[in-house]
């Protein structure tokens, strides 16, 4: 119901589905886990490709900016109670989607994959770096540009797009696709 397969240029997306909200949170957690493992100055990207219409992409960008603004605000300026509530929610997602699947994933990789960071290290990395995340619309009409070469600390971005992204534009450090 968020974005029907067949829709028109003037379509107004419904509220974000829980699957996309979870994907956003997993993107944040995955990026924070890299920081917790000692990585610095890296790019981390999430792709959201839900429509070919640039006007609808713009509306999606606005939805995602609102979601990210709320998350960032809670993580950086929220009261102890609201921040703890969000971190508890994120911990549940981390445990379900990362920790529970880690051993099967690790067993399929070489031995030098590194260890899983602790939840406390991930939570600290996330709260310390929450303001680094941004949302951009990447299409022929957007003023946004993925300026990876000028982002010395690394660009952490949710890129909303359609045809331009699906036709070969590389997202550096792609972590999550939706």
């Amino acid at each position: 119901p968020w974005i029907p397969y067949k829709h028109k240029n003037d379509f107004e997306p419904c509220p974000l589905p829980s699957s996309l909200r979870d994907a956003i949170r997993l993107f944040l957690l995955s990026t924070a886990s890299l920081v917790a493992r000692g990585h610095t100055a890296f790019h981390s990207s999430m792709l959201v490709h839900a429509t070919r219409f640039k006007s609808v992409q713009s509306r999606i960008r606005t939805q995602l900016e609102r979601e990210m603004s709320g998350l960032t605000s809670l993580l950086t300026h929220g009261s102890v109670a609201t921040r703890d509530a969000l971190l508890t929610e994120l911990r549940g997602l981390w445990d379900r989607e990362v920790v529970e699947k880690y051993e099967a994933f690790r067993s399929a990789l070489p031995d030098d994959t590194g260890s899983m960071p602790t939840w406390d290290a991930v939570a600290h990395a996330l709260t310390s770096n929450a303001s680094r995340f941004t949302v951009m619309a990447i299409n022929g009409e957007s003023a946004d540009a993925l300026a990876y070469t000028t982002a010395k600390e690394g660009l952490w971005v949710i890129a909303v797009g359609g045809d331009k992204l699906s036709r070969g534009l590389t997202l550096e450090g792609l972590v999550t696709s939706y």
Side-chain angles (χ1 to χ4, degrees):
W2 176 53
I3 306 273
Y5 181 70
K6 291 188 177 188
H7 61 276
K8 300 207 186 252
N9 193 345
D10 61 350
F11 180 76
E12 288 290 335
C14 297
L16 294 178
S18 60
S19 59
L20 179 51
R21 291 171 43 107
D22 283 350
I24 292 166
R25 285 158 173 75
L26 283 166
F27 168 61
L28 299 178
L29 291 168
S30 297
T31 303
S33 72
L34 290 169
V35 173
R37 289 177 71 186
H39 295 271
T40 59
F42 63 94
H43 302 301
S44 187
S45 303
M46 175 178 178
L47 165 65
V48 177
H49 180 200
T51 182
R52 65 184 176 91
F53 295 114
K54 294 172 186 141
S55 58
V56 181
Q57 290 169 18
S58 177
R59 292 180 196 106
I60 292 169
R61 176 189 178 184
T62 300
Q63 285 185 310
L64 296 175
E65 285 175 328
R66 266 191 230 115
E67 181 73 12
M68 288 298 297
S69 177
L71 292 169
T72 300
S73 179
L74 286 175
L75 290 168
T76 58
H77 306 299
S79 68
V80 172
T82 58
R83 185 175 41 246
D84 286 351
L86 177 57
L87 289 172
T88 298
E89 173 194 335
L90 292 171
R91 172 81 187 257
L93 186 62
W94 172 260
D95 288 344
R96 269 190 326 277
E97 297 297 329
V98 180
V99 174
E100 288 181 13
K101 297 173 182 171
Y102 177 71
E103 281 310 314
F105 177 75
R106 187 164 189 225
S107 68
L109 296 174
D111 290 336
D112 62 350
T113 58
S115 61
M116 170 83 80
T118 66
W119 167 251
D120 289 340
V122 172
H124 176 73
L126 182 57
T127 57
S128 300
N129 293 284
S131 61
R132 287 190 56 193
F133 292 93
T134 187
V135 179
M136 294 183 180
I138 307 300
N139 59 50
E141 295 175 3
S142 170
D144 291 340
L146 294 168
Y148 291 116
T149 57
T150 59
K152 301 291 185 223
E153 295 292 312
L155 183 63
W156 298 357
V157 62
I158 297 175
V160 180
D163 292 343
K164 189 170 184 175
L165 288 177
S166 67
R167 293 197 177 141
L169 181 67
T170 299
L171 291 177
E172 298 289 333
L174 183 61
V175 172
T176 307
S177 293
Y178 189 90

